[in-house]
Amino acid sequence: MRRATRVIRDLRWTLTLAGASLVIFLLLGPVPAGLIMDPAVAFTREPWRLFSGHLTHSDDAHLFWDLTGLLLVGSLYEPLLKRRLGGLLVAGSLGICAGISVIQPTVIAYCGLSGLINLIVGAGAVAAWRTERDWPRVLFALAVAAKLLVEQLTDAALFTQTAWPPLQAAHLIGFMLGVLYAVLVVPSPPEAATESPRQIVARP
Amino acid sequence: MAIPLRSLQSLVLTLALLGLATGTRAAGLLSPSDGSLPTLTIRDHQVEVLIQDGYAVTTVEQVFHNPHGRDLEATYSFPVPEHGTVAEFTVWIDGKPVTGEVLPKQQAEAVYQSERAAGRDAGITTKDAYRTFDIRVSPVRAGQDTRTRFVYMQAIRIDHGIGRYVYPLEEGGVDEQKLAFWTANEAVQDRFGLKVHLRSGYPIEAVRMPGATGATIDQLDDRRWDLSLTAGAARAEEGSGQPGPVQSGPAYRLDQDILVYWRLAQNLPGGMDLVTHKPDPEGRGTFLLTLNPGDDLEPIDQGADWIFVLDRSGSMRGKYGTLAEGVKQALGTLRADDRFRLVTFNETARELTKGYVTVTPEAVHDWADRIAAVQPNGGTNLYAGLQLGLDRTDADRPSGIILVTDGVANVGETQQRRFLELLAKKDIRLFTFIMGNSANRPLLETLTQASNGFARSLSNAEEIVGEILAASSKLTHAALHGVRLDIEGVRVSDLTPAKPGSLYRGQQLMFLGHYWGEGEARVTLKGRISGQEKVYRGRFAFPARSDRNPELERLWAYDRVREIQRELDTFGEDADLRDAIRDLGTQYGLVTDQTSMVVVREEVFQQLGMDRRNAARSQAERRAREQRMQQQPQSPRVDQAAPMFNGNRATHSGRGAGAISPWEVVMMLIGAWVILILQRRGTARSASLAPRTDSA
């Protein structure tokens, strides 16, 4: 019980995102018209779409794999980012939508969590490096970055099959915004040393 | 045929950028450039647009003011809207609106001049070919105002689920004689207002008015949207909430087109829409049948030859630098198995490339620089440009010509028939991008249709995104050529267009025609895709009576006029064809190349024995519009029982999913497992170190 409570506390943002996505899908089904990110209205009359669009999905497979990816990535990096993850998600949600509108103006609708997932990976990588030189997590993020690079070079999202065509630009934008955010927000090593999760684990 | 999608995208981008560089020739009140007559002013300019059931009706009410000490004639000129014609012209005489009647052009002019000479109130609307509609009102009395209204209607097509309406205001700048003689005063001194009522039988997801600062967009429900734009003193009055004297404010200038885009809901099924007007169950009805095909045209992907034929005449001056930059980008995105040639034309044509060039980074860089070095000047020998472009085509490779022009064929061969003969020599598609409001659209559309290509009109204020999407989607998919439509079961005639040409992905097919009786009709649509015959069949019922859309009669008549005019332009002078246009114009109250609309005092109409047919028709149309505005739009689809098309309509692939794939998840799992193992080892190591520290 105590362990479950600790997991919930340590992964509160990840679980909140996953839960919200699941509830939206169960209640409203795929592609709820009032919630998907639509650049034509999201930046003017209906700003909630800038956030809700990430929580909507085009089909059940899209939801399932996004949720699985989120839970994996969240469990790896949220303990490192902790409370900073809230700010990261808010800024990242806005930034990803703005980035999509600028880089791919032909996109008229966007949905899905993968932009945020890559956002967490990008920020987590910086946090892992800065806090305790956590090489496995950094290497994990570098592998993700390599995949993003290949996607950009080949102009195609790798491996993805969804009802809506994958938007690989969202992955790259999310990752880069995550890196940028963490560089600005996560403290440098001397300050961070007192907050290392590993030290917290070792303390008792 | 394989198509260089990105090239086209860049080209369209170029066109849009060209628009930004265009001068500010505009709609407005004309006065002689030599200053021989004083300038009148536009005090008020109010526009109201109803877009519904596949067509738009635009009503423009204006007040001209004469600040001088003597009576003067007002001449207001505005660009011919795409496929639109003036159907009502009203002048307020003694405070009452008097609607005009249509007469043969010379006769209308004589009536107007006679009244003008007598000092009596009169007005006339004439058409200057494909360039402008010109409205004259006399007299605008010294120190007083004159109120006028004109109404025009035009078919509105949906492409890839996107609707587009343009209120044309920019003059294209290609009629040098007119531009030299007249100066346009495009400033609206007091109030400018535009209201657009968008009513759709299908849900609308989003509406935009790009570039219209201060526009408001209200969604009444998912099928009814209202848009408004006000400027000048009108806004100040609204803010005060009090009617009162007009306050001074910045003058609105009628120098930029106003665009409205709307996007229908995704995943709409293909199908047939029907709108009818048949006030007398025993009489003849008019219908507008719109076919929205399902998305079943296959994508194509193979190397192609591309010939860019670029207008470098004098009217392109000031725009050419941007054009060169755009073509550079276009060339840079061609595929390795594509080839290109570059042809420019003004009074003569010149091929820059001297043959096909294989796409390499060096070649693209080199030729882009050479395009940029060209200096635009001279007239427009379009024939020579096309002739050179068609030269040396390779029969073994699919080829396409991308023609970009903002002007008219005014040098060398200018006969439409010669152009058609030229194109008939080669099996090649012509894709034309028509810039601005004054290009010779009829000629260019005829050529592209004859070659089974397509023409896109671009406003100078055009946003590029929609054009990129629409054009690229068409060029990357097969097309249905040689389209034919047959309707059986109900007597139908006068179908326009008689030769629909080709259907590209995302396009609608719109047919206007007449029918008698009622009941079920069987529809067959045939065409060829890559040489294979394709047939679609459907059924629907014609109603016995309907009176919601009286404008359909004029829309049919104007479609017919355009077809006859095309024949005239192709085959030359023909008295019968000319008479046919004149008769249609006078019968249906349309301003055409053969007819004008004249307004005189009511008693003069009586003296002249002129039937007030157009006044009655206009009033009936106005009543119908008011009713339609109040009613909830209904779905116009009529083939639910026997759908003609399978699948949903084509839309832009502009939807994107932020999606993690199963493979990514598997790799993440492996990565997380590795991290967990390493972390456990690290923790165990720390734990094993801790007691030693304690014991020490």
Side-chain angles (χ1 to χ4, degrees):
Chain A
M1 184 66 184
R2 188 180 296 172
R3 182 171 181 161
T5 309
R6 201 181 73 183
V7 168
I8 291 171
R9 191 188 62 220
D10 286 348
L11 302 181
R12 62 169 73 96
W13 286 107
T14 301
L15 294 174
T16 303
L17 277 182
S21 299
L22 191 61
V23 167
I24 286 173
F25 193 87
L26 291 176
L27 291 180
L28 303 174
V31 197
L35 296 181
I36 56 171
M37 207 290 278
D38 179 344
V41 292
F43 292 99
T44 52
R45 301 194 309 277
E46 298 174 10
W48 65 83
R49 292 173 182 272
L50 299 171
F51 303 97
S52 63
H54 301 281
L55 307 178
T56 58
H57 290 82
S58 62
D59 55 40
D60 48 5
H62 183 196
L63 173 75
F64 176 78
W65 294 114
D66 269 7
L67 284 187
T68 311
L70 174 69
L71 291 172
L72 272 170
V73 164
S75 61
L76 285 176
Y77 293 111
E78 185 169 355
L80 294 174
L81 294 163
K82 292 188 286 186
R83 279 173 294 183
R84 298 184 199 100
L85 188 54
L88 172 71
L89 291 172
V90 171
S93 296
L94 297 172
I96 290 167
C97 295
I100 290 170
S101 300
V102 171
I103 294 173
Q104 297 216 326
T106 57
V107 169
I108 57 172
Y110 169 79
C111 68
L113 274 167
S114 74
L116 292 184
I117 292 171
N118 285 281
L119 177 87
I120 295 170
V121 174
V126 175
W129 174 254
R130 281 200 165 176
T131 53
E132 53 181 324
R133 300 290 191 267
D134 186 343
W135 277 104
R137 282 180 171 81
V138 172
L139 287 173
F140 181 97
L142 288 176
V144 171
K147 178 237 170 198
L148 297 178
L149 191 63
V150 173
E151 281 182 345
Q152 292 305 309
L153 292 176
T154 58
D155 201 25
L158 299 179
F159 316 125
T160 311
Q161 288 293 329
T162 50
W164 282 19
L167 188 65
Q168 61 267 30
H171 300 172
L172 186 65
I173 294 166
F175 187 89
M176 292 177 69
L177 284 173
V179 170
L180 182 67
Y181 186 89
V183 165
L184 296 173
V185 170
V186 175
S188 52
E191 187 188 343
T194 57
E195 293 185 12
S196 163
R198 193 174 293 176
Q199 286 192 345
I200 293 168
V201 170
R203 217 172 272 157
Chain B
M1 183 188 294
I3 306 298
L5 163 63
R6 291 178 178 171
S7 305
L8 189 77
Q9 291 177 344
S10 296
L11 191 66
V12 179
L13 169 66
T14 305
L15 298 180
L17 293 173
L18 287 178
L20 299 177
T22 307
T24 55
R25 307 278 188 189
L29 279 174
L30 301 183
S31 59
S33 298
D34 60 7
S36 57
L37 285 172
T39 309
L40 302 181
T41 58
I42 304 170
R43 174 162 271 178
D44 192 59
H45 187 99
Q46 301 295 324
V47 187
E48 186 153 19
V49 186
L50 175 62
I51 303 170
Q52 189 174 19
D53 294 328
Y55 59 94
V57 181
T58 304
T59 305
V60 182
E61 205 164 298
Q62 302 189 91
V63 176
F64 303 138
H65 178 63
N66 179 359
H68 307 287
R70 59 175 167 136
D71 294 354
L72 290 166
E73 179 186 48
T75 303
Y76 178 80
S77 180
F78 68 100
V80 172
E82 186 175 10
H83 304 162
T85 189
V86 172
E88 182 196 327
F89 174 46
T90 297
V91 179
W92 270 252
I93 298 175
D94 297 336
K96 293 180 181 172
V98 179
T99 298
E101 295 295 332
V102 168
L103 292 171
K105 201 164 193 171
Q106 280 83 11
Q107 193 181 340
E109 187 68 36
V111 169
Y112 173 72
Q113 292 299 347
S114 163
E115 293 301 295
R116 179 172 174 259
R120 290 190 289 267
D121 294 289
I124 188 169
T125 300
T126 58
K127 184 167 183 270
D128 179 11
Y130 50 82
R131 290 177 285 267
T132 57
F133 283 109
D134 299 319
I135 290 173
R136 283 172 284 153
V137 184
S138 179
V140 180
R141 302 200 185 279
Q144 294 188 22
D145 294 342
T146 294
R147 180 177 294 273
T148 68
R149 176 175 66 215
F150 64 87
V151 178
Y152 64 82
M153 47 191 70
Q154 60 196 133
I156 294 288
R157 290 169 197 274
I158 305 286
D159 195 321
H160 283 85
I162 306 283
R164 171 182 176 269
Y165 168 83
V166 181
Y167 181 51
L169 292 171
E170 293 177 45
E171 218 287 326
V174 296
D175 188 347
E176 292 180 3
Q177 283 185 334
K178 191 170 183 177
L179 292 171
F181 187 78
W182 296 104
T183 299
N185 174 16
E186 72 271 17
V188 180
Q189 292 301 327
D190 292 341
R191 301 193 314 160
F192 171 85
L194 173 91
K195 288 182 182 172
V196 179
H197 308 285
L198 185 55
R199 304 289 182 266
S200 169
Y202 298 100
I204 296 172
E205 279 188 351
V207 178
R208 303 183 66 207
M209 280 181 81
T213 310
T216 59
I217 300 175
D218 295 320
Q219 181 181 5
L220 308 181
D221 55 48
D222 67 345
R223 291 158 198 248
R224 297 185 305 151
W225 295 64
D226 281 350
L227 298 81
S228 68
L229 175 66
T230 56
R235 183 176 285 178
E237 283 184 74
E238 283 177 2
S240 71
Q242 297 286 329
V246 170
Q247 301 170 30
S248 62
Y252 186 87
R253 305 192 81 79
L254 304 173
D255 60 1
Q256 284 197 325
D257 295 346
I258 298 174
L259 287 107
V260 177
Y261 294 105
W262 60 98
R263 190 177 77 230
L264 298 181
Q266 305 288 322
N267 304 324
L268 291 175
M272 271 189 294
D273 296 345
L274 181 71
V275 183
T276 59
H277 181 69
K278 193 164 183 272
D280 177 8
E282 306 303 318
R284 188 184 72 175
T286 308
F287 68 88
L288 170 62
L289 181 67
T290 305
L291 307 184
N292 300 294
D295 189 10
D296 60 356
L297 294 168
E298 295 293 323
I300 45 181
D301 187 23
Q302 68 179 103
D305 289 343
W306 289 99
I307 304 135
F308 291 80
V309 179
L310 309 171
D311 184 348
R312 62 178 176 104
S313 62
S315 61
M316 295 293 288
R317 200 175 294 126
K319 313 169 191 173
Y320 194 84
T322 317
L323 168 65
E325 178 58 29
V327 173
K328 177 182 177 181
Q329 293 174 26
L331 293 174
T333 55
L334 286 181
R335 295 175 306 195
D337 52 354
D338 288 342
R339 302 186 302 179
F340 68 89
R341 291 169 57 213
L342 297 170
V343 172
T344 62
F345 66 95
N346 53 4
E347 286 169 355
T348 58
R350 180 174 159 232
E351 179 169 355
L352 300 182
T353 44
K354 314 295 181 200
Y356 285 105
V357 176
T358 304
V359 175
T360 64
E362 296 76 22
V364 167
H365 186 268
D366 182 30
W367 288 107
D369 285 347
R370 296 194 201 188
I371 295 169
V374 170
Q375 294 296 320
N377 55 49
T380 307
N381 193 338
L382 176 60
Y383 187 90
L386 281 176
Q387 190 175 37
L388 190 54
L390 284 163
D391 194 23
R392 279 183 282 181
T393 51
D394 189 338
D396 296 333
R397 286 172 64 87
S399 305
I401 289 181
I402 293 181
L403 169 66
V404 188
T405 181
D406 71 340
V408 296
N410 56 15
V411 176
E413 184 60 70
T414 58
Q415 285 188 45
Q416 185 164 295
R417 188 170 44 153
R418 300 289 177 219
F419 279 88
L420 292 171
E421 289 168 357
L422 177 67
L423 281 172
K425 291 175 185 172
K426 297 282 176 69
D427 180 20
I428 191 167
R429 304 272 182 270
L430 175 64
F431 306 105
T432 306
F433 292 87
I434 305 170
M435 291 191 59
N437 292 322
S438 301
N440 190 343
R441 202 180 282 143
L443 169 68
L444 296 167
E445 286 179 347
T446 302
L447 300 185
T448 50
Q449 190 181 33
S451 76
N452 288 323
F454 64 82
R456 301 286 298 180
S457 290
L458 293 174
S459 159
N460 285 336
E462 193 77 64
E463 275 204 326
I464 60 168
V465 176
E467 292 304 314
I468 288 173
L469 288 171
S472 62
S473 172
K474 288 172 178 53
L475 296 174
T476 50
H477 288 76
L480 185 71
H481 296 298
V483 171
R484 304 186 307 280
L485 183 80
D486 295 314
I487 302 177
E488 296 172 322
V490 170
R491 186 185 157 203
V492 167
S493 70
D494 308 327
L495 212 57
T496 66
K499 294 178 183 173
S502 299
L503 174 71
Y504 281 84
R505 183 173 187 254
Q507 286 182 330
Q508 295 179 318
L509 283 169
M510 297 178 89
F511 295 92
L512 284 151
H514 292 131
Y515 76 100
W516 286 260
E518 61 177 306
E520 185 176 283
R522 297 180 300 281
V523 183
T524 307
L525 178 72
K526 293 180 182 172
R528 295 183 318 279
I529 300 176
S530 304
Q532 301 291 315
E533 175 129 316
K534 178 88 174 173
V535 181
Y536 301 91
R537 297 180 204 281
R539 282 184 286 119
F540 67 89
F542 276 112
R545 184 179 184 280
S546 55
D547 57 4
R548 285 182 77 239
N549 299 87
E551 297 94 345
L552 290 183
E553 293 183 346
R554 299 217 226 206
L555 286 168
W556 171 83
Y558 190 59
D559 245 21
R560 188 76 194 106
V561 165
R562 286 175 47 229
E563 289 202 336
I564 298 170
Q565 186 65 49
R566 187 174 294 172
E567 284 185 57
L568 260 176
D569 293 341
T570 301
F571 300 110
E573 183 59 38
D574 183 311
D576 290 340
L577 294 177
R578 213 169 270 278
D579 290 349
I581 292 177
R582 185 199 63 205
D583 293 345
L584 281 165
T586 50
Q587 183 181 351
Y588 289 92
L590 300 173
V591 178
T592 69
D593 290 337
Q594 307 300 327
T595 54
S596 301
M597 191 174 291
V598 67
V599 176
V600 292
R601 303 180 73 88
E602 285 290 358
E603 59 268 27
V604 179
F605 275 125
Q606 288 178 6
Q607 288 166 14
L608 294 171
M610 289 174 66
D611 196 5
R612 301 295 277 125
R613 197 164 44 186
N614 192 51
R617 183 189 285 276
S618 299
Q619 197 174 4
E621 289 174 345
R622 203 159 36 248
R623 275 201 302 269
R625 283 198 292 277
E626 285 166 4
Q627 283 182 1
R628 292 204 304 271
M629 285 263 290
Q630 305 306 322
Q631 294 167 349
Q632 184 68 22
Q634 301 296 315
S635 170
R637 191 174 175 206
V638 288
D639 68 333
Q640 291 96 335
M644 190 165 192
F645 303 103
N646 295 320
N648 291 337
R649 305 177 195 181
T651 57
H652 290 314
S653 57
R655 301 175 304 174
I660 297 292
S661 72
W663 283 104
E664 282 177 277
V665 170
V666 169
M667 286 189 285
M668 282 179 178
L669 269 172
I670 294 170
W673 179 71
V674 170
I675 289 170
L676 194 66
I677 296 292
L678 292 172
Q679 199 167 318
R680 278 190 178 168
R681 282 186 184 172
T683 308
R685 196 175 159 195
S686 300
S688 65
L689 287 172
R692 280 204 295 270
T693 310
D694 288 344
S695 63

